[in-house]
Amino acid sequence: MEFKKYSAELIGTFWLTFGGCGSAVIAAAFPHVGIGLLGVALAFGLTVLTMAYAIGHISGCHLNPAVTIGLAAGGRFPFSQVLPYIVAQVIGAIIAAAVLYVIASGAPGFDVVASGFAANGYGEHSPGHYALGSALVAEVVLTMMFLFIIMGATHEKAPAALAPVAIGLALTLIHLISIPVTNTSVNPARSTGPALFVGGWALSQLWLFWVAPIVGGVLGGLIYRCLSCTKKQ
């Protein structure tokens, strides 16, 4: 049973990374019919929405180390399962980046470093050249709100069938806000896959996209846990 959960997380995170980063690498600026920032934001949201319906009943559809840790902090997930979930998520993201690299490298003149390969960054590697401080605040706050929404949407009193819609739209909104700032992480696994192929600057800045989302996830989980407890009293 546990193996099925880990496998579901691997497949789900593969889909999130491949679908979201793939839309950015392959389709965002395609001549004349590029989907642009709005399209990429929607693609990330759709990956979560579709996988929530596909594997939510198997693993909970975390697809994100920050979500797993945040749910554990919020009392919704056992700490004993955090590490294997994260391992499965990171493996799924790396496989997705590898498949995306194989596809993208078939285009004439493709250069993984020059293209950025949907890697996350700050300073000169931020799409809008936002500084480290701005990137840190954005990633913490947006991941915090993402966890807050996830915990609210999956609360026992919330309509269960609509939870994937709320969560998917939340991730879409998060990307609409922060693609110019960091290329949007809020997910350490999603950040790790592309960074391994870009190397150099992407790997040197990867620490931020582990630290900030995890801090934000824990804050979001704890805040909702306190709010929920207050309401029951």
Side-chain angles (χ1 to χ4, degrees):
M1 184 62 183
E2 301 302 329
F3 178 75
K4 290 182 179 180
K5 291 181 180 180
Y6 308 150
S7 298
E9 284 296 303
L10 187 154
I11 294 168
T13 312
F14 169 91
W15 185 235
L16 181 148
T17 306
F18 182 73
C21 295
S23 69
V25 172
I26 297 173
F30 189 76
H32 310 303
V33 290
I35 61 175
L37 185 153
L38 177 59
V40 173
L42 185 59
F44 272 100
L46 288 173
T47 63
V48 171
L49 190 155
T50 52
M51 271 297 149
Y53 284 117
I55 66 169
H57 61 288
I58 300 174
S59 68
C61 191
H62 298 185
L63 317 185
N64 182 339
V67 170
T68 298
I69 295 171
L71 289 174
R76 297 278 191 88
F77 190 72
F79 278 101
S80 62
Q81 291 294 301
V82 168
L83 182 58
Y85 260 58
I86 291 175
V87 171
Q89 292 157 1
V90 171
I91 292 173
I94 293 172
I95 295 172
V99 174
L100 179 57
Y101 178 81
V102 170
I103 295 171
S105 61
F110 174 75
D111 184 324
V112 67
V113 177
S115 70
F117 204 55
N120 301 112
Y122 55 84
E124 64 178 305
H125 301 293
S126 156
H129 299 286
Y130 285 82
L132 170 60
S134 298
L136 176 65
V137 171
E139 290 289 331
V140 169
V141 171
L142 291 172
T143 314
M144 178 183 72
M145 294 307 303
F146 191 37
L147 259 294
F148 189 87
I149 292 166
I150 289 171
M151 291 193 67
T154 56
H155 191 277
E156 59 184 10
K157 294 184 179 180
L162 294 178
V165 177
I167 296 168
L169 289 176
L171 190 60
T172 299
L173 176 57
I174 285 168
H175 279 77
L176 288 174
I177 296 168
S178 61
I179 286 177
V181 183
T182 61
N183 227 9
T184 309
S185 172
V186 302
N187 184 336
R190 166 264 183 270
S191 297
T192 300
L196 289 175
F197 286 83
V198 175
W201 68 264
L203 286 175
S204 69
Q205 295 190 354
L206 182 59
W207 68 270
L208 176 69
F209 304 107
W210 274 87
V211 173
I214 288 174
V215 170
V218 170
L219 288 173
L222 291 175
I223 291 170
Y224 194 88
R225 187 176 190 174
C226 292
L227 181 64
S228 183
C229 289
T230 300
K231 284 187 173 182
K232 290 180 180 179
Q233 292 177 351

